[in-house]
Amino acid sequence: MAPISKECDYLVIGGGSGGLASARRASGMYGAKTIAIESKRLGGTCVNVGCVPKKITWNAASIAETIHEAKAYGFSVETTAPFDWTTFKHKRDAYVKRLNGIYEKNLNNDKVEYIHGRAHIVSKNEVEVVLDDGSKETIKAKKILIATGGHPNIPKDIPGADMGISSDGFFDLETQPKKVALIGAGYIAVEMAGMFHALGTETHLFIRHDTFLRNFDPMIQEKVTAEYERQGIHVHKKSAQSKAEKIEGKDGWVKLHYTDSEHPEGTTIDVDCLFWGIGRSPEVEDLGLDKAGVKQNERGQIIADKYQNTNIENIYALGDVCGNVELTPVAIAAGRRLSDRLFGGPQFAQSKLDYTNIPSVVFAHPEVGSIGLTEPEARKKYGDENLKIYNTSFTAMYYAMMEPEDKGPTAYKLICVGPEEKVVGLHILGLGSGEMLQGFGVAIKMGATKKDFDSCVAIHPTSAEELVTLK
């Protein structure tokens, strides 16, 4: 082991959103001597291969949809060339690179020492870092935060699966695929499928059941699945994949063997992009958790309590590496509250993130927003007799000028409990749901009731007004 070359109050392993937020709060606000270590690019999954480039691509897909829909409003819009995927990709990369630089500048502003290298825990107070040039140094820290995030999975039991890409590889695609097979029913696969389709790629989505987004309310599952099928996305239900193989003479093309509800005996599809969106695993493979005795669950995720404590006194963990709620703002909020508690003095002794009623959005086509309990969860927790469910389904005014077959769905659900009808779940889909949910999220976090919703005067004409006029 290399000799101890540095000492600090707080060592943060992982330069993603949660780790950087905690490091900057500890150093910039409380003066703790802080070192942050990252082996890839600053910003983690969200900035580099997640939320940020995904939303930019979703914006492009939404513009493509608007161009298509403009005719209904009297515009004669003709594109002179296909969507320029390559130019778009390079501009998106440049934007992400600028963000990397801003993150590093912010660390400097808050006097956080940044080391680019791969960290390996040696003991509960020491970490060895392998630097870019292969040299090693050992850092001794009073407190250590593990915020290493996660990485996408590619199946190990399907021959040829490694011919496919994950969400990481999506952002490396230099040219637009002509035909894509996406495997997965979670938000990543569903978002990618919507974007591919809107931008003109023939899109096949393979799911294990009859609906996708199965962690969301049944209304969301059923309506978004139906809408994808209406749009022309090929949804392969009850599907399973057995192998993938190269197609001779067709560079980059892959033959995927599968079964689904229409082909229980098995069939194949030829695609030039095979995408795996089947979940994520924690980034812990070579971290050395065993050397410090840090406990993990059966999925390899680090076990942390509500204060982000691991079982080792001075080692903490948060974000995707723990797998609680894998959302960037959750990791940021948890990181800041942890630094408040560790370095902010006695007034922050109980500082922690409240993991209940966290709003989340799926940038599908249409957008989906959700906060609180799903209807099945609410029925299980409170009992059928204590619930009142308000539903509405309508066509947004945006579609007024369009033919019936071109109109997208809008649907909202409010789940209320008890005689006071406290809102314990809100689920929305349709245009603008992402922006809409943030404000309603505040209301629900404050304990809003149906009466509170009703007491707010509607803004007309909007889709959101339907949530304050539900009968």
Side-chain angles (χ1 to χ4, degrees):
M1 186 177 73
I4 292 173
S5 57
K6 288 185 171 72
E7 295 189 12
C8 65
D9 299 316
Y10 195 38
L11 178 63
V12 176
I13 304 174
S17 301
L20 295 181
S22 190
R24 291 181 60 198
R25 177 67 61 96
S27 177
M29 189 170 286
Y30 302 119
K33 186 178 180 182
T34 305
I35 296 175
I37 303 169
E38 171 57 46
S39 62
K40 297 177 183 175
R41 292 183 287 172
L42 283 176
T45 295
C46 175
V47 168
N48 296 292
V49 288
C51 334
V52 171
K54 180 272 300 288
K55 184 65 184 292
I56 292 170
T57 310
W58 182 87
N59 288 339
S62 296
I63 290 170
E65 290 179 321
T66 302
I67 291 170
H68 173 73
E69 292 160 347
K71 185 178 179 181
Y73 274 87
F75 293 94
S76 298
V77 179
E78 290 186 16
T79 54
T80 57
F83 172 65
D84 189 345
W85 180 288
T86 304
T87 297
F88 168 76
K89 188 260 187 194
H90 291 164
K91 289 187 72 174
R92 186 182 62 201
D93 289 349
Y95 176 68
V96 169
K97 191 173 182 179
R98 287 201 302 274
L99 293 181
N100 297 146
I102 290 170
Y103 271 72
E104 186 165 359
K105 182 180 178 181
N106 287 340
L107 288 178
N108 291 331
N109 291 343
D110 285 322
K111 296 179 172 58
V112 176
E113 182 179 351
Y114 166 48
I115 297 175
H116 193 269
R118 191 77 175 174
H120 308 277
I121 296 172
V122 177
S123 70
K124 68 175 189 174
N125 288 107
E126 293 180 6
V127 169
E128 183 180 77
V129 184
V130 179
L131 303 175
D132 293 343
D133 62 4
S135 63
K136 298 177 181 179
E137 64 179 14
T138 300
I139 303 170
K140 188 171 184 179
K142 295 176 183 175
K143 301 181 189 301
I144 297 173
L145 170 62
I146 302 170
T148 50
H151 56 76
N153 297 329
I154 288 182
K156 295 181 174 63
D157 57 346
I158 298 177
D162 57 357
M163 296 179 199
I165 62 171
S166 66
S167 54
D168 288 3
F170 171 84
F171 298 106
D172 290 330
L173 290 172
E174 285 286 339
T175 57
Q176 181 173 359
K178 294 180 175 61
K179 187 175 180 181
V180 61
L182 303 102
I183 293 89
Y187 76 93
I188 293 175
V190 170
E191 288 179 337
M192 295 297 182
M195 292 185 288
F196 269 126
H197 174 72
L199 292 172
T201 296
E202 182 182 328
T203 304
H204 294 255
L205 179 61
F206 293 79
I207 60 177
R208 287 189 295 176
H209 300 278
D210 287 323
T211 58
F212 46 67
L213 298 177
R214 291 175 56 78
N215 290 331
F216 286 76
D217 190 85
M219 177 196 77
I220 300 292
Q221 297 179 38
E222 292 159 12
K223 289 188 178 295
V224 182
T225 302
E227 172 60 7
Y228 268 35
E229 291 179 303
R230 183 196 72 81
Q231 290 179 12
I233 295 173
H234 305 272
V235 181
H236 299 260
K237 301 175 180 180
K238 291 186 168 59
S239 72
Q241 299 72 45
S242 56
K243 70 175 179 177
E245 54 192 3
K246 288 182 180 178
I247 300 176
E248 295 298 328
K250 292 184 73 175
D251 188 39
W253 284 73
V254 174
K255 186 180 292 292
L256 178 68
H257 296 251
Y258 69 94
T259 59
D260 64 12
S261 56
E262 294 186 5
H263 305 93
E265 74 290 348
T267 187
T268 64
I269 185 173
D270 294 351
V271 296
D272 61 338
C273 181
L274 173 60
F275 179 100
W276 298 102
I278 57 171
R280 297 175 63 83
S281 294
E283 184 78 16
V284 294
E285 283 79 3
D286 59 346
L287 197 51
L289 296 175
D290 54 326
K291 293 180 181 176
V294 176
K295 289 184 179 178
Q296 301 165 261
N297 64 18
E298 67 281 355
R299 294 186 60 193
Q301 296 160 332
I302 295 174
I303 299 170
D305 67 12
K306 60 185 179 181
Y307 291 96
Q308 312 305 151
N309 300 312
T310 69
N311 62 303
I312 304 301
E313 185 179 1
N314 63 300
I315 298 181
Y316 312 90
L318 57 81
D320 291 8
V321 77
C322 300
N324 191 347
V325 180
E326 296 185 17
L327 296 170
T328 296
V330 171
I332 291 172
R336 288 173 177 161
R337 284 162 177 75
L338 175 62
S339 287
D340 288 342
R341 182 169 69 84
L342 296 180
F343 304 106
Q347 69 268 38
F348 293 111
Q350 297 302 311
S351 178
K352 68 182 190 307
L353 177 63
D354 177 9
Y355 280 87
T356 61
N357 284 331
I358 292 173
S360 64
V361 166
V362 181
F363 289 101
H365 295 259
E367 293 172 69
V368 167
S370 178
I371 182 171
L373 301 176
T374 65
E375 185 174 335
E377 289 170 343
R379 292 190 184 281
K380 183 177 180 180
K381 183 172 182 177
Y382 295 109
D384 294 356
E385 68 280 5
N386 296 311
L387 292 183
K388 187 159 186 183
I389 313 293
Y390 294 88
N391 289 282
T392 184
S393 184
F394 60 97
T395 301
M397 189 177 286
Y398 175 78
Y399 297 111
M401 308 295 285
M402 297 175 196
E403 298 300 321
E405 63 270 17
D406 294 326
K407 296 182 179 184
T410 307
Y412 300 154
K413 176 185 283 190
L414 209 60
I415 301 170
C416 303
V417 65
E420 74 280 15
E421 293 194 345
K422 180 180 179 180
V423 180
V424 295
L426 182 149
H427 309 281
I428 58 178
L429 69 91
L431 296 173
S433 291
E435 298 292 346
M436 195 187 305
L437 182 65
Q438 189 72 76
F440 283 106
V442 173
I444 291 170
K445 195 72 176 174
M446 293 174 69
T449 63
K450 178 65 165 60
K451 186 177 180 181
D452 293 323
F453 273 58
D454 294 343
S455 71
C456 183
V457 175
I459 302 169
H460 183 73
T462 64
S463 292
E465 69 179 300
E466 294 289 332
L467 282 168
V468 299
T469 57
L470 286 167
K471 294 289 190 282

